[in-house]
Amino acid sequence: MPSSVEASSVETPCAATSSPATSSAETSSVEVGGATHAGSPAPPAALAVLPPLTSAPRRLLKHPRLMHYNRLAALVMLANIAVLTMGWVPNAEAIGYASLVNLALAVVVRQQYVINLFFRLATWAPTSWPLKARWTLGKVYHFGGLHVGGALAGAVWFLAGAVVTTADGANLPLITVSWVLVALLVVIVGTALPFFRSRFHDHFEKIHRFGGWSALALFWTHTLLGAQGPVALGVLAVVTFSVALPWLRLRKVDVRIERPSAHVALARFDHGVTPFAGSSTAISRSPLTEWHSFANVPSPGEPGFRLTISRAGDWTGSFIDDAPPKVWVKGITTAGVANIETLFSKVIYVATGSGIGPCLPHLLAAEVPSLLVWATRDPRRTYGDGLVDEILAVQPNALVWDTSQHGKPDMVRLAYTAYRDFGAEAVICISNKKLTWQVVHGLERRGIPAYGAIWDS
């Protein structure tokens, strides 16, 4: 089934990787674009020594294989197994319902309104709640595990149903549709596996979209051929509406492109929409083939919003070099990972390169006391004086680490040093995949709440 672009998916270049801190970490001022700026703090004389690892059982729970995303997927599978072990004797109709319910779960949890509801419910908790409870609620963006669990369980149930229908042998058209749908589900699930999705993401996206639409049409055909009751038709209607809803809001809008450097484009929109801080918008130049989601940067008190788009592949490179006057948008603005900031009294934002984009709306809104740690190459030359000055205006104590001047820092230690000195409760990291995982898991294994995108879309 097709899924919407995950809100916490950010187009972020590999601007920094974790490596030992250079001697420049001991300089006495922060250089932004090669110049020292008043009001900017000095980097620590020495990066803090990381605290010891937590106990082995607690570290095990923080292992990437046991992250909440995988736990939720496993929970869905276990719930389906539990149904079987309760003495339930499945027949063709019951198997059909089980398949449909699981596949409906897979689709609906990716719906943009549902995603925003998840975030709203999770972030209602006040900061007076115990930190462990808020730490867990902050993992709300792992909801994609429900999508994976539902898709896998639904596909297995449908395969079982196809076998039962074939054994019965009474309805040849139904048998034919069943096995065509089984083959299609195998292709969709197989190409969604991480090794294929990461290497051939554009192909994955097209297969997921067009394969999902085809599967939905075949489910309608299968349900009508099987003469299933109103419950099945109702579930299918909900799934169909969920899939169609973002496309009902498809429109082509004007965009103004500023290019402070050959590496970055700042796309400005003012088509009557001012998104909330921490949301993302999917844009496209060819709406049936490719969509890319970027963090919205609204300015307080001003209409419209900006997107920070960095050169990170063919599509973004083409967007920067051949700036379009109009782009397609669809759906609604969707909550991203950094929205969990309100669960904590103070947070550290760790960004590299254009990861500053998803952080900036939260820094401008200033709903939660925060401190920015930004490692990037020559920020003024890359992003322009206007953007850097805007950041420093709201974050005068930000640690802006110019990697062209100081080299690449040890981001885990840098993040921990800022966390300790600022008295923060959590760290939010927006970077490339490798570094995000290094920071998040490097801190969580030491008992520090940390969050970052999980690239599940």
Side-chain angles (χ1 to χ4, degrees), residues 172-255:
L172 184 59
L174 184 62
I175 293 171
T176 302
V177 171
S178 295
W179 286 106
V180 171
L181 191 45
V182 166
L184 186 55
L185 290 174
V186 168
V187 172
I188 293 173
V189 171
T191 55
L193 294 174
F195 78 90
F196 184 93
R197 186 175 67 230
S198 60
R199 293 182 61 186
F200 308 103
H201 192 273
D202 289 346
H203 295 300
F204 151 75
E205 186 177 338
K206 292 172 185 175
I207 292 169
H208 225 56
R209 178 176 300 117
F210 294 111
W213 291 348
S214 300
L216 185 56
L218 287 171
F219 266 110
W220 274 104
T221 304
H222 184 275
T223 301
L224 294 173
L225 286 173
Q228 296 190 33
V231 174
L233 293 174
V235 172
L236 269 179
V238 170
V239 170
T240 303
F241 180 71
S242 178
V243 171
L245 188 56
W247 295 91
L248 296 176
R249 300 173 64 94
L250 179 69
R251 53 181 166 164
K252 200 170 189 178
V253 300
D254 294 326
V255 58

Side-chain angles (χ1 to χ4, degrees), residues 66-391:
L66 292 178
M67 65 179 178
H68 292 75
Y69 183 93
N70 293 337
R71 294 184 204 177
L72 288 173
L75 179 63
V76 174
M77 298 297 291
L78 289 173
N80 281 270
I81 293 172
V83 170
L84 278 176
T85 59
M86 290 170 60
W88 175 56
V89 180
N91 53 38
E93 184 181 19
I95 290 174
Y97 281 126
S99 173
L100 192 57
V101 167
N102 277 281
L103 291 170
L105 171 67
V107 173
V108 172
V109 297
R110 288 293 198 181
Q111 217 289 323
Q112 294 162 320
Y113 287 101
V114 175
I115 293 171
N116 288 344
L117 177 62
F118 284 163
F119 273 90
R120 183 177 295 274
L121 293 174
T123 56
W124 265 348
T127 55
S128 59
W129 281 26
L131 180 59
K132 286 186 177 180
R134 291 179 282 130
W135 188 345
T136 299
L137 287 172
K139 300 296 183 180
V140 60
Y141 59 94
H142 288 254
F143 61 83
L146 298 174
H147 169 79
V148 171
L152 289 175
V156 171
W157 278 118
F158 193 84
L159 174 60
V163 171
V164 171
T165 301
T166 303
D168 181 60
N171 191 334
L172 184 59
L174 184 62
I175 293 171
T176 302
V177 171
S178 295
W179 286 106
V180 171
L181 191 45
V182 166
L184 186 55
L185 290 174
V186 168
V187 172
I188 293 173
V189 171
T191 55
L193 294 174
F195 78 90
F196 184 93
R197 186 175 67 230
S198 60
R199 293 182 61 186
F200 308 103
H201 192 273
D202 289 346
H203 295 300
F204 151 75
E205 186 177 338
K206 292 172 185 175
I207 292 169
H208 225 56
R209 178 176 300 117
F210 294 111
W213 291 348
S214 300
L216 185 56
L218 287 171
F219 266 110
W220 274 104
T221 304
H222 184 275
T223 301
L224 294 173
L225 286 173
Q228 296 190 33
V231 174
L233 293 174
V235 172
L236 269 179
V238 170
V239 170
T240 303
F241 180 71
S242 178
V243 171
L245 188 56
W247 295 91
L248 296 176
R249 300 173 64 94
L250 179 69
R251 53 181 166 164
K252 200 170 189 178
V253 300
D254 294 326
V255 58
R256 291 182 292 114
I257 308 294
E258 300 175 13
R259 199 176 73 167
S261 72
H263 179 69
V264 173
L266 301 178
R268 297 182 178 271
F269 296 83
D270 189 9
H271 55 275
V273 173
T274 302
F276 61 90
S279 61
S280 64
T281 291
I283 64 173
S284 176
R285 302 175 77 165
S286 177
L288 290 178
T289 58
E290 190 172 9
W291 286 89
H292 295 264
S293 188
F294 299 91
N296 300 316
V297 185
S299 296
E302 296 182 12
F305 60 100
R306 293 165 286 169
L307 304 179
T308 304
I309 301 173
S310 290
R311 190 181 299 272
D314 293 341
W315 191 91
T316 51
S318 174
F319 191 96
I320 294 170
D321 296 334
D322 180 24
K326 292 177 178 288
V327 295
W328 292 92
V329 298
K330 69 181 173 79
I332 64 168
T333 54
T334 312
V337 57
N339 280 272
I340 56 92
E341 66 166 6
T342 57
L343 287 167
F344 305 100
S345 59
K346 290 184 177 181
V347 297
I348 299 295
Y349 278 101
V350 176
T352 62
S354 61
I356 190 62
C359 300
L360 184 54
H362 296 283
L363 302 177
L364 294 175
E367 291 186 38
V368 175
S370 62
L371 177 66
L372 172 67
V373 177
W374 185 26
T376 188
R377 177 178 298 177
D378 204 344
R380 289 191 174 274
R381 180 175 299 176
T382 303
Y383 298 93
D385 287 336
L387 185 65
V388 174
D389 288 341
E390 185 177 17
I391 293 168

Side-chain angles (χ1 to χ4, degrees), residues 367-443:
E367 291 186 38
V368 175
S370 62
L371 177 66
L372 172 67
V373 177
W374 185 26
T376 188
R377 177 178 298 177
D378 204 344
R380 289 191 174 274
R381 180 175 299 176
T382 303
Y383 298 93
D385 287 336
L387 185 65
V388 174
D389 288 341
E390 185 177 17
I391 293 168
L392 293 178
V394 294
Q395 282 280 313
N397 295 319
L399 174 54
V400 182
W401 190 294
D402 185 344
T403 58
S404 63
Q405 296 280 333
H406 304 311
K408 297 175 181 179
D410 182 332
M411 292 300 292
V412 179
R413 291 181 62 198
L414 193 62
Y416 172 70
T417 303
Y419 164 87
R420 181 199 64 181
D421 293 347
F422 190 61
E425 284 193 313
V427 173
I428 299 172
C429 181
I430 309 293
S431 182
N432 60 74
K433 186 173 184 177
K434 180 181 178 181
L435 184 56
T436 298
W437 283 61
Q438 286 177 345
V439 171
V440 171
H441 297 292
L443 294 176

Side-chain angles (χ1 to χ4, degrees), residues 53-64 444-446:
L53 298 174
T54 56
S55 63
R58 290 187 63 188
R59 290 204 309 275
L60 179 63
L61 290 175
K62 300 303 178 184
H63 191 280
E444 292 224 315
R445 294 169 67 218
R446 292 173 168 85

